[in-house]
Amino acid sequence: MADFLFAPHNPVTVPIARGGLFAVRRVYCVGRNYAEHIIEMGNDTRDPPFFFAKPADAVVVGGAAIPYPPQTADFHHEIELVVAIGKDGTDIAVEQALDHVYGYAAGLDMTRRDLQAMAKKAGRPWEMAKGFDFSAPIGTIEPASSIGHPAAGAITLGVNGTERQRGDLGDQIWSVGETIAYLSQFVTLRAGDLIMTGTPAGVGAVVRGDVIEGTIAGVGTVRTAIV
Ligand code: MN
Protein backbone atom coordinates (compact mmCIF):
# COMPACT_ATOMS: atom_id res chain seq x y z
CA MET A 1 0.00 0.00 0.00
CA ALA A 2 1.44 3.32 -1.07
CA ASP A 3 2.03 5.87 1.62
CA PHE A 4 -0.75 8.27 0.63
CA LEU A 5 -1.14 11.35 2.80
CA PHE A 6 -4.92 10.86 2.49
CA ALA A 7 -7.09 8.27 0.74
CA PRO A 8 -7.13 8.89 -3.06
CA HIS A 9 -10.46 10.13 -4.38
CA ASN A 10 -12.69 7.54 -5.98
CA PRO A 11 -12.76 7.51 -9.80
CA VAL A 12 -15.55 9.57 -11.35
CA THR A 13 -17.88 7.28 -13.29
CA VAL A 14 -20.87 7.58 -15.61
CA PRO A 15 -23.27 4.64 -15.89
CA ILE A 16 -23.49 2.86 -19.24
CA ALA A 17 -26.88 1.76 -20.54
CA ARG A 18 -27.39 -1.99 -19.99
CA GLY A 19 -24.66 -2.09 -17.37
CA GLY A 20 -21.13 -1.10 -16.51
CA LEU A 21 -19.40 2.14 -15.66
CA PHE A 22 -17.43 4.58 -17.81
CA ALA A 23 -14.50 5.96 -15.77
CA VAL A 24 -14.00 9.64 -16.60
CA ARG A 25 -10.51 11.00 -17.29
CA ARG A 26 -11.08 14.53 -18.61
CA VAL A 27 -14.05 16.62 -19.73
CA TYR A 28 -13.46 18.79 -22.80
CA CYS A 29 -16.05 21.27 -24.06
CA VAL A 30 -16.50 22.94 -27.46
CA GLY A 31 -17.05 26.66 -27.09
CA ARG A 32 -19.19 27.43 -30.13
CA ASN A 33 -20.81 24.87 -32.37
CA TYR A 34 -24.35 25.98 -33.31
CA ALA A 35 -24.77 29.16 -35.38
CA GLU A 36 -27.95 30.37 -33.64
CA HIS A 37 -26.31 30.16 -30.20
CA ILE A 38 -23.21 31.98 -31.49
CA ILE A 39 -25.50 34.75 -32.75
CA GLU A 40 -27.46 34.96 -29.45
CA MET A 41 -24.14 35.38 -27.60
CA GLY A 42 -23.10 38.17 -29.98
CA ASN A 43 -20.21 36.31 -31.60
CA ASP A 44 -19.14 35.75 -35.18
CA THR A 45 -20.18 32.44 -36.78
CA ARG A 46 -17.07 32.52 -38.98
CA ASP A 47 -14.79 32.09 -35.94
CA PRO A 48 -13.53 28.52 -35.50
CA PRO A 49 -14.73 26.70 -32.37
CA PHE A 50 -12.37 26.50 -29.42
CA PHE A 51 -12.05 24.27 -26.39
CA PHE A 52 -12.18 24.59 -22.63
CA ALA A 53 -12.37 21.94 -19.92
CA LYS A 54 -14.13 21.01 -16.73
CA PRO A 55 -12.60 18.87 -13.99
CA ALA A 56 -13.75 15.25 -14.09
CA ASP A 57 -15.27 15.56 -10.63
CA ALA A 58 -17.66 18.27 -11.86
CA VAL A 59 -19.64 15.38 -13.38
CA VAL A 60 -22.99 14.62 -11.72
CA VAL A 61 -24.88 11.44 -12.61
CA GLY A 62 -28.10 9.65 -11.85
CA GLY A 63 -30.34 12.70 -12.09
CA ALA A 64 -28.98 14.00 -8.79
CA ALA A 65 -29.88 17.52 -7.75
CA ILE A 66 -27.19 20.20 -7.87
CA PRO A 67 -26.77 23.14 -5.52
CA TYR A 68 -27.21 26.66 -6.87
CA PRO A 69 -23.54 27.65 -7.08
CA PRO A 70 -21.91 30.51 -5.18
CA GLN A 71 -20.59 33.71 -6.78
CA THR A 72 -23.27 34.02 -9.46
CA ALA A 73 -26.64 35.67 -10.05
CA ASP A 74 -26.97 34.30 -13.61
CA PHE A 75 -26.72 30.49 -13.62
CA HIS A 76 -27.39 29.12 -17.11
CA HIS A 77 -28.28 25.76 -18.68
CA GLU A 78 -26.66 24.48 -21.89
CA ILE A 79 -27.85 21.13 -23.26
CA GLU A 80 -25.10 19.31 -25.16
CA LEU A 81 -24.37 16.04 -26.93
CA VAL A 82 -21.59 14.34 -24.93
CA VAL A 83 -19.12 12.09 -26.75
CA ALA A 84 -17.48 9.34 -24.67
CA ILE A 85 -14.03 8.46 -26.01
CA GLY A 86 -13.18 4.75 -25.87
CA LYS A 87 -9.84 4.59 -27.67
CA ASP A 88 -6.67 6.68 -27.35
CA GLY A 89 -5.41 8.83 -30.20
CA THR A 90 -3.31 11.81 -31.31
CA ASP A 91 -3.68 13.62 -34.65
CA ILE A 92 -6.71 11.50 -35.46
CA ALA A 93 -7.91 11.71 -39.08
CA VAL A 94 -11.52 12.80 -39.56
CA GLU A 95 -12.19 9.55 -41.45
CA GLN A 96 -11.06 7.48 -38.43
CA ALA A 97 -12.42 9.74 -35.70
CA LEU A 98 -15.67 7.88 -34.99
CA ASP A 99 -13.64 4.69 -34.34
CA HIS A 100 -12.48 6.45 -31.14
CA VAL A 101 -16.05 6.94 -29.85
CA TYR A 102 -17.38 4.48 -27.30
CA GLY A 103 -20.77 6.10 -26.98
CA TYR A 104 -22.92 9.15 -26.41
CA ALA A 105 -24.92 10.82 -23.65
CA ALA A 106 -26.94 13.94 -23.04
CA GLY A 107 -25.22 16.43 -20.75
CA LEU A 108 -25.49 19.93 -19.30
CA ASP A 109 -22.68 22.49 -19.52
CA MET A 110 -23.87 24.53 -16.53
CA THR A 111 -22.44 28.04 -16.69
CA ARG A 112 -22.05 31.02 -14.37
CA ARG A 113 -22.85 33.42 -17.24
CA ASP A 114 -22.04 36.58 -15.29
CA LEU A 115 -18.56 35.29 -14.42
CA GLN A 116 -18.06 34.20 -18.04
CA ALA A 117 -19.00 37.68 -19.29
CA MET A 118 -16.52 39.25 -16.85
CA ALA A 119 -13.80 36.82 -17.90
CA LYS A 120 -14.40 37.50 -21.59
CA LYS A 121 -14.29 41.25 -21.03
CA ALA A 122 -11.03 41.03 -19.06
CA GLY A 123 -9.43 38.41 -21.34
CA ARG A 124 -9.25 36.01 -18.38
CA PRO A 125 -9.71 32.20 -18.23
CA TRP A 126 -13.18 30.67 -18.04
CA GLU A 127 -12.52 28.06 -15.31
CA MET A 128 -14.58 29.77 -12.61
CA ALA A 129 -17.44 30.31 -15.09
CA LYS A 130 -17.45 26.76 -16.45
CA GLY A 131 -15.41 24.34 -14.35
CA PHE A 132 -16.97 24.71 -10.91
CA ASP A 133 -18.42 22.02 -8.63
CA PHE A 134 -21.47 20.13 -9.98
CA SER A 135 -21.22 21.92 -13.35
CA ALA A 136 -21.53 18.84 -15.59
CA PRO A 137 -24.69 16.75 -15.06
CA ILE A 138 -24.58 13.83 -17.52
CA GLY A 139 -27.13 11.13 -18.40
CA THR A 140 -26.48 7.48 -19.10
CA ILE A 141 -23.96 6.64 -21.83
CA GLU A 142 -25.43 4.72 -24.77
CA PRO A 143 -22.80 2.69 -26.64
CA ALA A 144 -22.37 3.54 -30.31
CA SER A 145 -22.59 -0.22 -30.89
CA SER A 146 -26.26 0.13 -29.88
CA ILE A 147 -27.32 3.53 -31.21
CA GLY A 148 -24.79 4.26 -33.96
CA HIS A 149 -23.35 7.75 -34.40
CA PRO A 150 -26.18 10.29 -34.27
CA ALA A 151 -25.56 13.06 -36.80
CA ALA A 152 -29.08 14.51 -36.85
CA GLY A 153 -32.04 14.69 -34.51
CA ALA A 154 -33.64 17.05 -32.04
CA ILE A 155 -31.64 18.34 -29.05
CA THR A 156 -33.97 20.08 -26.60
CA LEU A 157 -34.09 21.32 -23.03
CA GLY A 158 -36.99 22.23 -20.79
CA VAL A 159 -37.16 23.93 -17.41
CA ASN A 160 -40.14 22.93 -15.25
CA GLY A 161 -41.71 21.40 -18.35
CA THR A 162 -41.42 24.52 -20.54
CA GLU A 163 -39.16 24.25 -23.56
CA ARG A 164 -36.20 26.65 -23.53
CA GLN A 165 -33.69 25.22 -26.01
CA ARG A 166 -34.24 23.44 -29.31
CA GLY A 167 -31.80 22.58 -32.04
CA ASP A 168 -30.78 19.73 -34.26
CA LEU A 169 -27.53 17.77 -34.13
CA GLY A 170 -27.40 18.25 -37.89
CA ASP A 171 -26.90 21.98 -37.27
CA GLN A 172 -23.56 21.48 -35.52
CA ILE A 173 -20.95 23.57 -37.33
CA TRP A 174 -18.30 20.94 -36.61
CA SER A 175 -19.37 17.30 -36.71
CA VAL A 176 -18.35 14.91 -33.93
CA GLY A 177 -15.66 13.46 -36.21
CA GLU A 178 -14.27 16.88 -37.08
CA THR A 179 -14.28 17.92 -33.42
CA ILE A 180 -12.35 14.80 -32.36
CA ALA A 181 -9.85 15.24 -35.19
CA TYR A 182 -9.24 18.91 -34.38
CA LEU A 183 -9.06 18.47 -30.59
CA SER A 184 -6.59 15.58 -31.02
CA GLN A 185 -4.19 17.98 -32.74
CA PHE A 186 -3.86 19.83 -29.41
CA VAL A 187 -4.01 16.98 -26.87
CA THR A 188 -3.83 13.21 -26.89
CA LEU A 189 -7.33 11.88 -26.38
CA ARG A 190 -7.56 8.92 -24.03
CA ALA A 191 -10.23 6.37 -23.27
CA GLY A 192 -12.32 7.93 -20.52
CA ASP A 193 -12.36 11.42 -21.98
CA LEU A 194 -15.71 13.13 -22.48
CA ILE A 195 -16.34 15.87 -25.05
CA MET A 196 -19.32 18.21 -24.62
CA THR A 197 -20.01 19.34 -28.18
CA GLY A 198 -21.66 22.73 -27.75
CA THR A 199 -25.20 23.98 -27.20
CA PRO A 200 -28.01 25.18 -29.47
CA ALA A 201 -29.79 28.50 -29.01
CA GLY A 202 -32.07 29.28 -26.09
CA VAL A 203 -29.69 29.29 -23.13
CA GLY A 204 -31.08 30.98 -20.05
CA ALA A 205 -31.04 31.28 -16.30
CA VAL A 206 -32.34 28.85 -13.69
CA VAL A 207 -33.08 29.40 -10.02
CA ARG A 208 -33.43 27.22 -6.94
CA GLY A 209 -36.36 24.86 -7.27
CA ASP A 210 -36.14 24.57 -11.06
CA VAL A 211 -36.09 21.14 -12.68
CA ILE A 212 -34.07 20.83 -15.89
CA GLU A 213 -34.61 18.03 -18.38
CA GLY A 214 -32.66 17.73 -21.62
CA THR A 215 -33.37 15.22 -24.37
CA ILE A 216 -31.39 14.23 -27.44
CA ALA A 217 -33.26 12.12 -29.97
CA GLY A 218 -31.72 8.68 -30.29
CA VAL A 219 -29.33 9.27 -27.38
CA GLY A 220 -31.20 9.85 -24.13
CA THR A 221 -31.95 12.33 -21.42
CA VAL A 222 -30.25 14.28 -18.65
CA ARG A 223 -32.15 15.57 -15.68
CA THR A 224 -31.32 17.60 -12.60
CA ALA A 225 -32.93 19.92 -10.09
CA ILE A 226 -31.45 23.10 -8.65
CA VAL A 227 -31.48 23.15 -4.84
MN1 MN B 1 -21.35 24.81 -23.71
Side-chain angles (χ1 to χ4, degrees):
M1 183 68 183
D3 186 20
F4 291 114
L5 177 61
F6 49 84
H9 299 288
N10 291 327
V12 174
T13 59
V14 179
I16 298 168
R18 287 172 284 281
L21 295 173
F22 183 92
V24 179
R25 174 178 178 260
R26 294 180 181 173
V27 182
Y28 293 105
C29 304
V30 178
R32 292 170 192 149
N33 208 16
Y34 292 82
E36 283 185 31
H37 174 60
I38 293 171
I39 291 164
E40 77 176 349
M41 297 300 289
N43 295 305
D44 191 329
T45 58
R46 292 168 302 181
D47 287 346
F50 58 89
F51 300 98
F52 59 92
K54 295 175 185 267
D57 68 359
V59 168
V60 177
V61 300
I66 61 173
Y68 192 93
Q71 300 294 330
T72 186
D74 198 19
F75 185 38
H76 276 211
H77 53 75
E78 297 189 357
I79 175 72
E80 312 212 353
L81 175 69
V82 181
V83 179
I85 298 294
K87 181 179 147 189
D88 299 0
T90 308
D91 289 327
I92 299 165
V94 174
E95 299 72 33
Q96 270 83 55
L98 296 183
D99 298 343
H100 293 261
V101 177
Y102 172 75
Y104 298 89
L108 299 173
D109 169 15
M110 298 305 295
T111 302
R112 292 193 280 212
R113 193 71 73 198
D114 40 5
L115 295 192
Q116 186 193 29
M118 286 164 51
K120 284 180 179 177
K121 197 173 174 188
R124 289 181 180 152
W126 286 13
E127 269 86 352
M128 294 300 107
K130 290 288 197 177
F132 52 94
D133 299 336
F134 310 105
S135 60
I138 293 175
T140 303
I141 293 173
E142 288 282 350
S145 59
S146 301
I147 64 165
H149 296 278
I155 173 169
T156 61
L157 178 141
V159 177
N160 306 326
T162 301
E163 186 174 290
R164 294 265 196 98
Q165 289 190 262
R166 173 171 288 272
D168 193 288
L169 297 179
D171 293 334
Q172 289 196 329
I173 295 170
W174 286 29
S175 69
V176 168
E178 289 168 337
T179 298
I180 289 169
Y182 188 59
L183 179 56
S184 76
Q185 295 175 17
F186 294 84
V187 290
T188 295
L189 292 176
R190 303 283 304 275
D193 290 343
L194 298 174
I195 306 171
M196 305 188 85
T197 59
T199 199
V203 299
V206 288
V207 297
R208 284 185 188 84
D210 283 347
V211 174
I212 304 174
E213 185 159 340
T215 303
I216 303 177
V219 175
T221 62
V222 57
R223 189 176 187 282
T224 192
I226 314 300
V227 296

